[in-house]
Amino acid sequence: MSWKYIIKNWWDLRLKESGEEDYAADHSGKYHIVCGGRHAFLGCCTTDTRKIYGYQIAENGILCLSSLVFGSYSGLVTLSLAIFRNVLLMKDQYTRNWMIGLSILITAGGVLVNTKGIVGLFPVLATLIWTIANYYFRDVFYVKIFLLINIALWTIYFFVIWDFSSGIAQVVMGMICVISLYRISARRVSHT
């Protein structure tokens, strides 16, 4: 089954009577871990913040599709706004006003379309923390620390909504991010 099929028939996938969540996880999750996961893994490995944001744009695009399949509209809204934020960051146009405006939109939009209760607030919180942190911290070490916090919140969220492939991808990314933080720290210590 291809992404084109999933996009074209996403509503049918959502309404599949026998094991709705299992069916969606079996068919959309495999493609996320191959396509979006690859970009996210690269973002955890690089030490160039612009590349981190570029890889995140690709991953967030894939996760938007996954959010549609799983009926997670708070995830869809926050991921869409995260793509826009990352474009601003890459173009060095991310200002205090953009940070405040996007924070308000992420919070209001995510809460208004939330269909998952308390769990649906995890994408809102993760994206909000990452949005604020990206304004105040541009150093790659701090960017990766907040990326790790973001990954932790999304990991919990994915496992609770039964999107196991995305959850496993987040766990692996978290481990890669920890290793990358260790390497950055070791390099900084050796240079001082």
Side-chain angles (χ1 to χ4, degrees):
M1 184 179 303
S2 70
W3 269 113
K4 288 180 186 177
Y5 177 84
I6 292 170
I7 293 167
K8 186 177 174 186
N9 298 301
W10 75 273
W11 187 252
D12 292 336
L13 293 173
R14 287 285 308 135
L15 297 176
K16 186 79 176 159
E17 289 180 22
S18 60
E20 175 182 337
E21 289 173 313
D22 293 336
Y23 185 81
D26 286 347
H27 290 84
S28 73
K30 291 175 191 173
Y31 301 100
H32 161 70
I33 204 163
V34 171
C35 299
R38 175 183 54 191
H39 298 296
F41 297 141
L42 292 171
C44 288
C45 295
T46 188
T47 55
D48 179 356
T49 53
R50 291 177 65 83
K51 286 184 180 177
I52 291 171
Y53 301 132
Y55 292 134
Q56 261 212 325
I57 289 169
E59 178 199 16
N60 289 346
I62 299 292
L63 288 173
C64 279
L65 297 174
S66 177
S67 293
L68 276 175
V69 172
F70 284 93
S72 170
Y73 304 113
S74 61
L76 179 62
V77 167
T78 58
L79 289 165
S80 299
L81 291 168
I83 291 170
F84 179 69
R85 178 206 57 225
N86 289 340
V87 168
L88 290 173
L89 282 161
M90 288 182 71
K91 292 182 173 185
D92 292 325
Q93 296 176 349
Y94 191 59
T95 63
R96 179 173 161 66
N97 289 338
W98 276 118
M99 186 260 306
I100 292 168
L102 285 172
S103 295
I104 291 168
L105 284 173
I106 288 165
T107 305
V111 169
L112 286 173
V113 299
N114 181 15
T115 59
K116 301 290 183 188
I118 297 288
V119 173
L121 298 178
F122 276 69
V124 177
L125 182 60
T127 308
L128 185 61
I129 289 170
W130 186 235
T131 298
I132 294 169
N134 278 298
Y135 176 74
Y136 289 105
F137 302 99
R138 297 289 173 103
D139 180 75
V140 70
F141 182 79
Y142 296 107
V143 167
K144 289 211 178 222
I145 287 174
F146 284 100
L147 180 60
L148 193 58
I149 293 167
N150 186 289
I151 288 169
L153 290 168
W154 279 101
T155 300
I156 294 166
Y157 171 74
F158 285 130
F159 280 119
V160 171
I161 70 162
W162 295 59
D163 185 354
F164 294 114
S165 62
S166 296
I168 291 167
Q170 295 291 317
V171 168
V172 172
M173 285 186 308
M175 291 187 294
I176 292 170
C177 197
V178 167
I179 292 166
S180 179
L181 277 167
Y182 174 76
R183 287 181 178 167
I184 292 169
S185 297
R187 248 184 266 134
R188 288 186 178 183
V189 169
S190 70
H191 289 296
T192 57

